[in-house]
Amino acid sequence: MILAMAKDLEAGDDYGPAEDSTTPPAEDAENDLSFRAVEAVRLHVRSLSADIDVSRGGIARFSASFKRGKDASINNYKRILHDINADMPSGSLTAILGGSGSGKTTMLHALSHRIGGNRIQITGNILYNASERISSIRSAYVMQHDVLVPTLTVRETLLYAAELRLPPPTTADERCRVVEDVILELGLKECASTRIGNNVHKGCSGGEKRRTSLGVQMLANPSILFLDEVTTGLDAASAFQLIKTLKLLANKGRTIIVTIHQPRSEIWGLFDRLVLLSGGTSVYSGPVEKSVPYFESLGFALPPFVNPAEFLVDLAALDIRSPDLEKDSSTRVEMLKLAWRTSTANRTLWNADEKSDTELAPAKSKKARKHASLTRQIKVLTARTFKITYRDPMGMVGSLLEAFSMAILTGWIFLNLDGSLAGIRSREGALYTAAALQGYLILIFETYRLTIDIELFDREYAEGVISVPSFLISRRLARVIVEDLPVPLIYSVIFYFMVGFDAHAGQFFVFFAVNLLMHYIAVTLSMVCVSVVRNFAGASLIANMAYTLQSLGCGYFVQSNQIPVWMRWLKWTAYVFYGFGALTANEFVGHTPNPAGRIYDCPSPGVAFDAACEEYTGAYVMRSLGFPPDWIVRPIFVLLAFVVAFYLGAAVILKYKKVGIGISRARPTELDTSVGKEELAAHSLDGRRIIKVTLHDYSLDIQKRNWRTRRPEKKTILKPVNTAFAPGLLNVIMGPSGSGKTSLLNLMADRLQDSVSTIYETKGEMKFNNAVPSSEVIRSICSYVCQDDDALFPCLTVRENLQFAAALRLPTHLSKTQKRQRAESVLLKLGLRDCADTLVGDNSVKGISGGEKRRVTIAIQILTDPQILLLDEPTSGLDAFTASSIMTVLRGLAEEGRTLILTIHQARSDLFSHFGNLLLLARGGSPVFAGKGADMLPYFESLGFRCPTTTNPADFALDLITVNLQQASKETATREKVRSLILNWDTSNPPIIQTTSQVSTPAELGALARSSTPFTTAFPILICRSFINFRRSPPALIARTTQVLGFAIILTLFFAPLQSNTYSIQTRLGFIQEFAALYFVGMLQNVAVYPTEKAVFYREHDDNAYSVTSFLLTYTVLEIPFEIVTSLLFALLTVIAAGLPRTVSLFFIVAFNCFAVVSCGESVGIMFNTLFAHTGFAVNVTSVILSLATIMGGIMSLDIPDFLQAWNHLSPIKWSLGNLAPYTLRGLLFTCPDGGEQCGGLRTGEDVLSLYNLDTDPWKNLAALGACVVIYRVVAWGILELKRKRSSWRIRLPNRRI
């Protein structure tokens, strides 16, 4: 049967091109996409050049000006694109090729007008139908980075994109039809109902995400489509299908321009035009069919059976493997540049007639470029945001849980307040909690959530798909039912009646109305903060400083009439002043005809206006807080105005503050200087401890817990695999997207960890030399190189990354010198010598190239000389020349006796011959072939599938096992073909031959287990590494220093100088209470720094590099100096400037309180950011706990229930306020404001301490505060230790079942 099927399929050319056939035309291959016609656009590029300013800036530039005079201020420009000419007519598919640092992406950014910043200068002409404005035509850009919503499915993502991107004349049926066509065309049928997913919740594969991103941009139906490395992360078959789709779109009149790294030979035949770059200069620009003859005319003939794309990239690359090769290749490249610059073809491009372009412009271009109307945008975005919200249960439940828990707990704290003086004071605290503190929690959570969501807005807004008003309006419409109304309503209903406020309908609805407005103010203010700064560290700093100004100006902590004159005007700009004032008036003087307001339980007999009872009247409370008597209606309207003002402010900033692609500071050269400089030595496998890995019925299932049905949903990731991976060879795992390649590597490396909603179930055995290894052995002798390089420290050089890794990972019996020598040896072995002193870099700091990062990641993993090296897509995202160099390195590592197992998507044609053992997986994790690479082609030929001699065997295999989902007829045939191949392998799978080697018993395997680096060794190394990385990272420094200093400055401006009349009692108590805000400061500092450092630590801890104790103590030691310095500055401002008793002892007491509270906030942040992977949920939970501690500190609530008071002993705020109040209030005498003698019963500091139950031993409270600092950090350490041990325990279970 399978032979007959092979003949039928060979005739249909579905597995790969036949030996004597040509590639079928793209337009005959696939579906007829249901797009409307577009305007034809021809792109002219003339003398395109780009210059980047590489001169130093900021502090470095300022300091250099003193050393070198005026010359230091002169800009130093480096040219990265040189006089490029190109012509890209409508209906063409143009490829931009070149090696690392050739300027491909820069050119694409320039053509699409996506390059920005004041350090980049673009010159030359870029014309779109004789117009310089790209906005005059419809265009789309597919970035390398996928910006997708993880909680939406593929089909939902495309449907929403169609609603926003397709021209208005299209109907709903047309949009749905186009979406289904795109799903089929891009091979997304089988994952159409799968959620996109992210690092926490697994969804689509990387290749499927890539294709979805392309589908989103295809739905814009653009005249010009720019694509940056669109095939990165795709297997060869998927990449071929994708480029055929692009060819189909180009044939229908679109202009498509792509940069591409490793195009297979069949893809080469689909390109119409080519731009070949070398060092930013074009060496060819013109029709593809003329490129090979052009280079032949220069003496560079294409060898037989060589991919033309690989040949040309190699030809234009600088080969620096040796001085002689570097000299020869440099001469060759310069000759190619000169030849093209003086060629007739280049001059023809320059003199090309552009008059015909104007004829291409449509008469009604504005209508053709029209996007969705504002109403439609709001409708679509509201529906999308609503779905995103309810599919993020941790986020939505976090908001509702925050409202419910805050209401219950704070209502319990202020439960049934009486009418005593203490009860009146507590009512003020309860009203402040409702007006300000609840809104602050919403502000912080929404700020965090927005820093994630804003990326999608920036992308869609830059594309002209959505407008600022539609984004702002829809965001609130989508959440009005699930958050905006329920959160303040739940809080108001529970809190209002638990406190014991008057059960008057009008009074309650005023309370709810104010809370609702404060909620909206919080979410609109967070939008302003994020529109100014996109990252959480910066946005939370703005939000926290804004809230501090609001809380100090509201009249609760500092009596509004006692605010210094130069700051008093700020109270009228503080929305909390109006919210707190409205709630205060509503409670104390509203809804009563008595001019004295409500009269509470005065212990002295007499009328309301008796001086002894004055403090018990609502009017007195209003005066003491500095509020007008009639202060309900006007503040509500002002609050509404704040909502509108913040939204308008956010709209203006979002509209006019450009967030585009900038270029970071460049390094002296953009070349991958490590290519070819490897120093590898092959060793005989005799006498070396080698390991053969065998898999016997090795399978993986995943069980997802469905919280709605409460039934686990089981999905098979890997079917039983039987194979062997031998040492000394390249053992390759290949398969299309979704075949389980990465899952298999993660399983073999012991990196799969269960979560609350996901449980992994493994079956079968993995053996090392016929023995089942323990988890310790696996982690000791296996090193795992992931796809990403995020475990590298961006602010360290290559040499520093390697030296620190060597110091942490190598055995302790080696000396420092020996470890350094080992690092240098590996550095040379992987050809990293020339970039050894270059910063690694990241998205904001330009560093080494992608190929060099890959090498550094590999170098770190081989420092310990692992017997087994696992690599996930080591060549993904690299150009053909760099990928070839990486594979040369890997072959050398294997020849040294290691067992190398790697996954690979797109292999060069000259690489397949180096495959030792090959495991071929079909989609769904079913093995199709496992054995020697040389046996694969004979095996498939025995089944009737012959590989043409001109076809890359790796591409042939992937084509053979890939289901064609683009047409129903082909899907049926190819699915049956793949099913038959799977069945045939299952029935003919030969037994694995077990071989012996020098490590063959469990005892000997156990002897290989390597313990982590001892604390005494790891700690000083981690301190040094973290300090260097930290001081080179300005954002981290800002996050650590600005919060406390900014808070201290604002505090001083509002409270200085502290007065001594009876009205100042509230002010002095408010000053002390403000120390509780430092609790939040510590938490915010932690959220800005800890999650990133935790991610790196988790990766290194998985490698068994060092312990939890080493990591957390390093974090603490680096944190403490910043806290000490900022605390001393805080004390300097608050004690001396604000007017506290100016004594040395009080200065250090205040400094210690600041240090202790901030440190405890950091510790709480560590606890909950460790417990919860969802940072937003962790912020919500942490904020509730800190808020409760703030309220129960002893000033805002004077009668806390016994149970909560017992828990309050765990709070550092209780002990902080408990020592600050006696130290700052004892011995004070308060005078009457008007000079009289009858102004209430609180006349001394001791009276105030007695009323607030703060007349305690301050030294004991100070000691308890110090104990909290230590205990909190120890608890944080314990939680992190248990978290890591629990993860390790989970993954050691050999056969987990539900």
Side-chain angles (χ1 to χ4, degrees):
M1 181 186 73
I2 198 165
L3 290 173
M5 183 184 301
K7 293 178 181 179
D8 293 338
L9 290 171
E10 185 173 359
D13 196 29
D14 272 88
Y15 65 89
E19 181 177 5
D20 55 353
S21 64
T22 58
T23 302
E27 58 268 30
D28 297 336
E30 314 303 342
N31 304 289
D32 183 16
L33 290 176
S34 307
F35 288 116
R36 291 175 177 265
V38 297
E39 59 177 302
V41 175
R42 184 174 186 175
L43 182 59
H44 282 288
V45 182
R46 298 294 179 267
S47 297
L48 175 63
S49 298
D51 299 278
I52 182 173
D53 182 9
V54 296
S55 57
R56 292 194 289 178
I59 297 175
R61 187 171 186 173
F62 178 76
S63 60
S65 63
F66 290 97
K67 299 178 181 179
R68 290 182 283 181
K70 296 182 179 180
D71 292 340
S73 62
I74 299 176
N75 291 342
N76 179 23
Y77 283 94
K78 172 189 173 184
R79 178 151 290 192
I80 54 179
L81 290 179
H82 305 257
D83 295 324
I84 296 174
N85 299 317
D87 190 8
M88 303 165 189
S90 61
S92 65
L93 174 58
T94 302
I96 303 176
L97 293 180
S100 265
S102 61
K104 302 185 299 295
T105 300
T106 302
M107 180 179 175
L108 198 68
H109 286 165
L111 296 180
S112 59
H113 287 217
R114 293 178 58 85
I115 207 161
N118 55 7
R119 294 194 308 104
I120 185 76
Q121 293 184 355
I122 303 295
T123 57
N125 294 321
I126 304 174
L127 301 178
Y128 314 89
N129 287 353
S131 173
E132 294 184 352
R133 295 173 59 249
I134 194 173
S135 58
S136 64
I137 50 96
R138 293 179 65 90
S139 66
Y141 189 100
V142 179
M143 300 188 301
Q144 289 190 39
H145 173 57
D146 298 315
V147 182
L148 302 169
V149 180
T151 53
L152 295 180
T153 66
V154 170
R155 178 174 283 108
E156 290 167 345
T157 299
L158 295 175
L159 281 172
Y160 285 126
E163 292 284 342
L164 293 170
R165 285 173 167 81
L166 288 180
T170 56
T171 64
D173 290 339
E174 287 178 322
R175 288 191 291 271
C176 290
R177 187 167 63 253
V178 170
V179 166
E180 293 304 319
D181 287 348
V182 169
I183 287 174
L184 289 176
E185 191 68 30
L186 297 179
L188 295 170
K189 181 180 177 180
E190 293 190 347
C191 64
S193 299
T194 303
R195 294 187 186 182
I196 299 297
N198 53 23
N199 293 332
V200 179
H201 302 286
K202 179 66 176 175
C204 294
S205 68
E208 290 164 345
K209 290 179 182 178
R210 195 91 272 260
R211 283 176 278 164
T212 303
S213 295
L214 173 59
V216 168
Q217 296 305 322
M218 285 172 56
L219 289 169
N221 198 22
S223 295
I224 294 186
L225 180 60
F226 302 96
L227 305 104
D228 192 13
E229 303 299 347
V230 70
T231 60
T232 294
L234 301 184
D235 60 85
S238 298
F240 183 36
Q241 293 293 337
L242 190 149
I243 298 298
K244 285 202 293 183
T245 300
L246 295 179
K247 178 65 175 177
L248 172 67
L249 293 173
N251 288 341
K252 293 185 176 182
R254 294 165 183 81
T255 306
I256 298 180
I257 306 165
V258 303
T259 64
I260 192 166
H261 270 151
Q262 303 177 57
R264 55 188 281 183
S265 55
E266 292 82 7
I267 289 178
W268 171 262
L270 297 176
F271 293 136
D272 297 306
R273 302 187 72 83
L274 170 69
V275 177
L276 183 61
L277 299 178
S278 178
T281 302
S282 57
V283 295
Y284 179 80
S285 178
V288 166
E289 63 272 13
K290 295 182 179 179
S291 60
V292 173
Y294 168 77
F295 286 104
E296 285 181 355
S297 68
L298 299 178
F300 303 100
L302 175 68
F305 307 117
V306 173
N307 184 344
E310 296 172 0
F311 167 72
L312 293 182
V313 170
D314 291 347
L315 190 65
L318 195 63
D319 191 343
I320 55 176
R321 287 176 289 184
S322 69
D324 290 339
L325 288 175
E326 184 173 0
K327 181 180 179 181
D328 292 342
S329 62
S330 178
T331 302
R332 180 188 70 238
V333 169
E334 291 302 319
M335 186 272 287
L336 292 175
K337 292 178 181 179
L338 179 62
W340 177 250
R341 189 163 56 247
T342 58
S343 67
T344 303
N346 189 39
R347 289 196 299 270
T348 302
L349 281 174
W350 173 256
N351 298 320
D353 184 15
E354 300 171 8
K355 293 181 180 180
S356 60
D357 293 344
T358 57
E359 301 174 1
L360 297 174
K364 297 181 180 180
S365 58
K366 289 187 177 180
K367 184 175 181 181
R369 296 192 302 272
K370 184 178 179 183
H371 288 290
S373 64
L374 178 62
T375 304
R376 182 168 156 193
Q377 288 179 34
I378 293 174
K379 180 181 178 181
V380 174
L381 291 178
T382 300
R384 186 177 71 180
T385 307
F386 180 77
K387 186 169 290 186
I388 293 171
T389 301
Y390 80 74
R391 282 190 180 168
D392 180 21
M394 295 292 281
M396 188 175 71
V397 172
S399 297
L400 299 176
L401 182 63
E402 179 273 326
F404 183 81
S405 58
M406 273 292 289
I408 291 289
L409 295 173
T410 55
W412 193 3
I413 293 172
F414 296 105
L415 186 64
N416 292 326
L417 295 176
D418 56 24
S420 64
L421 196 58
I424 293 173
R425 299 287 187 184
S426 294
R427 284 175 188 270
E428 295 175 10
L431 294 171
Y432 172 80
T433 299
L437 200 53
Q438 169 65 11
Y440 175 69
L441 304 189
I442 300 297
L443 171 65
I444 295 300
F445 174 66
E446 183 68 12
T447 299
Y448 170 77
R449 187 162 58 178
L450 266 171
T451 56
I452 298 174
D453 298 344
I454 200 69
E455 185 179 15
L456 181 61
F457 162 78
D458 287 335
R459 176 69 191 273
E460 293 180 331
Y461 179 66
E463 295 168 352
V465 174
I466 64 174
S467 63
V468 172
S470 63
F471 169 69
L472 296 177
I473 294 171
S474 64
R475 188 171 179 83
R476 297 276 52 92
L477 284 179
R479 294 192 166 106
V480 66
I481 298 176
V482 295
E483 286 184 11
D484 291 350
L485 281 177
V487 168
L489 183 61
I490 290 172
Y491 181 81
S492 298
V493 170
I494 297 174
F495 182 74
Y496 186 89
F497 294 104
M498 286 188 69
V499 173
F501 293 131
D502 191 6
H504 184 279
Q507 185 171 329
F508 169 76
F509 281 111
V510 169
F511 183 88
F512 169 67
V514 172
N515 272 278
L516 179 63
L517 288 171
M518 297 299 286
H519 175 91
Y520 273 108
I521 287 174
V523 295
T524 53
L525 176 58
S526 67
M527 180 63 72
V528 174
C529 298
V530 176
S531 64
V532 175
V533 182
R534 293 297 198 265
N535 61 77
F536 180 73
S540 65
L541 172 63
I542 297 174
N544 202 38
M545 293 301 101
Y547 172 77
T548 303
L549 287 170
Q550 299 293 322
S551 64
L552 293 179
C554 74
Y556 177 66
F557 293 111
V558 51
Q559 206 266 359
S560 59
N561 292 327
Q562 293 197 344
I563 299 175
V565 176
W566 59 86
M567 297 295 293
R568 195 170 299 173
W569 61 273
L570 280 175
K571 73 178 182 181
W572 302 108
T573 65
Y575 64 83
V576 180
F577 173 75
Y578 298 97
F580 179 54
L583 292 183
T584 303
N586 185 54
E587 167 61 22
F588 291 106
V589 296
H591 311 284
T592 177
N594 193 330
R598 297 185 184 276
I599 302 175
Y600 294 92
D601 302 338
C602 178
S604 302
V607 297
F609 298 99
D610 188 1
C613 290
E614 185 179 8
E615 290 184 275
Y616 292 85
T617 65
Y620 176 85
V621 174
M622 294 295 290
R623 288 197 305 273
S624 67
L625 294 174
F627 293 124
D630 184 14
W631 198 238
I632 297 179
V633 178
R634 284 179 292 170
I636 289 178
F637 281 104
V638 174
L639 292 176
L640 185 60
F642 267 104
V643 174
V644 176
F646 282 145
Y647 240 25
L648 289 177
V652 171
I653 298 172
L654 288 174
K655 183 173 180 60
Y656 295 105
K657 187 176 187 294
K658 302 299 182 183
V659 180
I661 296 178
I663 293 188
S664 56
R665 207 155 298 281
R667 50 178 283 193
T669 178
E670 299 291 339
L671 295 172
D672 185 349
T673 54
S674 64
V675 172
K677 297 192 176 181
E678 305 85 7
E679 296 183 4
L680 301 170
H683 299 283
S684 172
L685 302 187
D686 298 332
R688 181 178 174 86
R689 307 175 89 184
I690 59 175
I691 294 178
K692 182 178 181 180
V693 180
T694 55
L695 305 180
H696 178 67
D697 290 336
Y698 209 44
S699 65
L700 173 65
D701 296 327
I702 184 174
Q703 300 223 17
K704 301 281 290 186
R705 291 173 180 165
N706 192 314
W707 299 106
R708 287 176 291 183
T709 62
R710 297 187 178 181
R711 294 180 180 178
E713 299 175 353
K714 186 174 181 179
K715 181 179 179 181
T716 298
I717 305 298
L718 280 171
K719 301 289 180 63
V721 175
N722 293 280
T723 189
F725 301 114
L729 303 172
L730 286 182
N731 301 280
V732 180
I733 304 173
M734 293 181 62
S737 294
S739 60
K741 303 183 298 296
T742 299
S743 297
L744 177 58
L745 283 188
N746 285 330
L747 184 60
M748 294 174 65
D750 247 352
R751 299 299 173 92
L752 295 177
Q753 299 181 8
D754 295 341
S755 65
V756 175
S757 60
T758 304
I759 295 179
Y760 296 97
E761 178 183 351
T762 63
K763 297 177 182 178
E765 289 182 328
M766 177 176 67
K767 293 184 177 181
F768 292 173
N769 294 339
N770 304 332
V772 178
S774 66
S775 179
E776 289 82 0
V777 169
I778 293 175
R779 296 194 174 211
S780 297
I781 64 179
C782 292
S783 289
Y784 185 28
V785 180
C786 303
Q787 283 192 43
D788 52 64
D789 303 307
D790 56 3
L792 302 177
F793 284 83
C795 295
L796 297 182
T797 65
V798 170
R799 177 174 279 113
E800 288 168 342
N801 268 284
L802 282 172
Q803 287 180 347
F804 283 121
L808 288 170
R809 296 165 186 260
L810 293 178
T812 55
H813 64 78
L814 296 179
S815 65
K816 291 182 179 180
T817 302
Q818 289 174 315
K819 292 181 179 180
R820 283 179 176 270
Q821 289 174 348
R822 173 63 178 166
E824 289 296 321
S825 172
V826 172
L827 185 143
L828 293 176
K829 180 177 292 187
L830 271 80
L832 294 166
R833 179 177 56 196
D834 292 335
C835 64
D837 296 314
T838 304
L839 294 181
V840 169
D842 56 11
N843 293 332
S844 60
V845 180
K846 175 63 178 176
I848 57 179
S849 70
E852 289 165 340
K853 285 184 180 179
R854 287 270 76 191
R855 290 164 182 263
V856 177
T857 303
I858 296 171
I860 288 175
Q861 294 300 331
I862 67 171
L863 278 169
T864 56
D865 196 21
Q867 280 83 0
I868 301 173
L869 185 60
L870 309 173
L871 305 102
D872 192 14
E873 298 297 343
T875 62
S876 181
L878 304 181
D879 62 84
F881 186 72
T882 306
S884 175
S885 178
I886 289 286
M887 296 308 297
T888 300
V889 172
L890 296 181
R891 291 202 306 271
L893 294 175
E895 289 168 1
E896 291 183 339
R898 298 177 180 85
T899 305
L900 261 71
I901 307 171
L902 63 145
T903 64
I904 192 166
H905 268 153
Q906 302 177 42
R908 285 178 56 125
S909 55
D910 57 356
L911 180 62
F912 184 80
S913 60
H914 297 286
F915 288 2
N917 291 318
L918 176 64
L919 172 62
L920 205 57
L921 296 174
R923 184 178 176 86
S926 299
V928 178
F929 175 82
K932 294 181 179 180
D935 295 339
M936 184 194 73
L937 294 182
Y939 169 75
F940 284 127
E941 189 168 357
S942 69
L943 300 178
F945 300 99
R946 181 172 52 88
C947 177
T949 57
T950 58
T951 299
N952 183 348
D955 295 340
F956 163 79
L958 285 173
D959 289 343
L960 191 63
I961 64 173
T962 298
V963 177
N964 189 328
L965 301 173
Q966 295 176 318
Q967 289 184 341
S969 59
K970 290 188 176 182
E971 178 184 351
T972 302
T974 54
R975 193 179 296 278
E976 184 61 30
K977 172 194 64 177
V978 174
R979 186 182 297 113
S980 299
L981 289 172
I982 295 171
L983 180 62
N984 187 78
W985 180 253
D986 287 341
T987 56
S988 63
N989 188 5
I992 300 173
I993 301 175
Q994 303 289 355
T995 58
T996 59
S997 66
Q998 295 183 344
V999 182
S1000 58
T1001 67
E1004 289 175 310
L1005 279 175
L1008 293 176
R1010 173 175 53 89
S1011 59
S1012 62
T1013 305
F1015 170 79
T1016 54
T1017 302
F1019 177 67
I1021 298 169
L1022 290 172
I1023 286 289
C1024 184
R1025 184 181 71 174
S1026 299
F1027 176 75
I1028 295 174
N1029 188 68
F1030 199 78
R1031 69 181 175 85
R1032 292 176 184 169
S1033 176
L1037 290 171
I1038 291 172
R1040 282 280 182 217
T1041 57
T1042 52
Q1043 294 270 12
V1044 174
L1045 286 179
F1047 180 69
I1049 292 171
I1050 295 174
L1051 209 62
T1052 303
L1053 290 175
F1054 271 90
F1055 284 95
L1058 291 170
Q1059 301 178 23
S1060 298
N1061 55 40
T1062 53
Y1063 284 167
S1064 71
I1065 294 174
Q1066 184 77 14
T1067 300
R1068 286 182 175 271
L1069 290 173
F1071 181 78
I1072 298 170
Q1073 177 65 40
E1074 279 295 323
F1075 277 71
L1078 294 168
Y1079 214 4
F1080 287 93
V1081 169
M1083 181 267 289
L1084 293 176
Q1085 290 182 173
N1086 174 265
V1087 173
V1089 176
Y1090 178 74
T1092 304
E1093 297 195 4
K1094 179 188 72 173
V1096 175
F1097 163 67
Y1098 279 8
R1099 183 72 62 86
E1100 293 184 324
H1101 191 258
D1102 285 337
D1103 292 335
N1104 206 26
Y1106 52 89
S1107 64
V1108 170
T1109 303
S1110 301
F1111 163 71
L1112 197 58
L1113 196 57
T1114 300
Y1115 182 90
T1116 302
V1117 170
L1118 282 177
E1119 162 202 342
I1120 287 175
F1122 290 99
E1123 291 176 352
I1124 291 176
V1125 172
T1126 54
S1127 296
L1128 291 173
L1129 293 174
F1130 179 89
L1132 186 68
L1133 289 169
T1134 55
V1135 173
I1136 297 178
L1140 292 177
R1142 294 180 176 89
T1143 64
V1144 175
S1145 60
L1146 186 60
F1147 173 84
F1148 285 105
I1149 287 171
V1150 170
F1152 178 74
N1153 275 270
C1154 175
F1155 165 80
V1157 175
V1158 171
S1159 177
C1160 289
E1162 286 260 9
S1163 296
V1164 175
I1166 294 172
M1167 296 177 199
F1168 288 97
N1169 276 298
T1170 300
L1171 286 172
F1172 304 110
H1174 194 295
T1175 306
F1177 186 80
V1179 168
N1180 249 333
V1181 174
T1182 308
S1183 298
V1184 170
I1185 292 174
L1186 302 190
S1187 299
L1188 295 177
T1190 299
I1191 297 169
M1192 295 190 299
I1195 292 177
M1196 296 179 67
S1197 177
L1198 306 186
D1199 189 16
I1200 302 174
D1202 293 340
F1203 177 78
L1204 291 178
Q1205 189 64 265
W1207 278 101
N1208 196 30
H1209 285 77
L1210 302 176
S1211 168
I1213 304 301
K1214 171 183 172 60
W1215 307 115
S1216 177
L1217 304 187
N1219 75 79
L1220 285 170
Y1223 281 127
T1224 58
L1225 289 175
R1226 280 179 181 170
L1228 289 180
L1229 294 175
F1230 298 107
T1231 61
C1232 294
D1234 55 2
E1237 297 182 358
Q1238 300 293 327
C1239 56
L1242 300 178
R1243 301 299 300 274
T1244 67
E1246 284 74 10
D1247 293 338
V1248 177
L1249 293 174
S1250 177
L1251 173 65
Y1252 284 87
N1253 299 318
L1254 294 173
D1255 194 8
T1256 56
D1257 186 349
W1259 274 107
K1260 291 183 180 179
N1261 294 333
L1262 203 62
L1265 179 62
C1268 282
V1269 174
V1270 178
I1271 293 172
Y1272 271 48
R1273 195 52 57 98
V1274 171
V1275 171
W1277 167 83
I1279 291 174
L1280 184 58
E1281 185 76 47
L1282 288 174
K1283 180 82 172 179
R1284 297 307 296 166
K1285 282 186 176 179
R1286 186 164 173 246
S1287 299
S1288 299
W1289 177 79
R1290 280 175 177 170
I1291 61 180
R1292 288 172 193 169
L1293 292 177
N1295 213 349
R1296 284 159 284 173
R1297 300 179 185 273
I1298 305 296

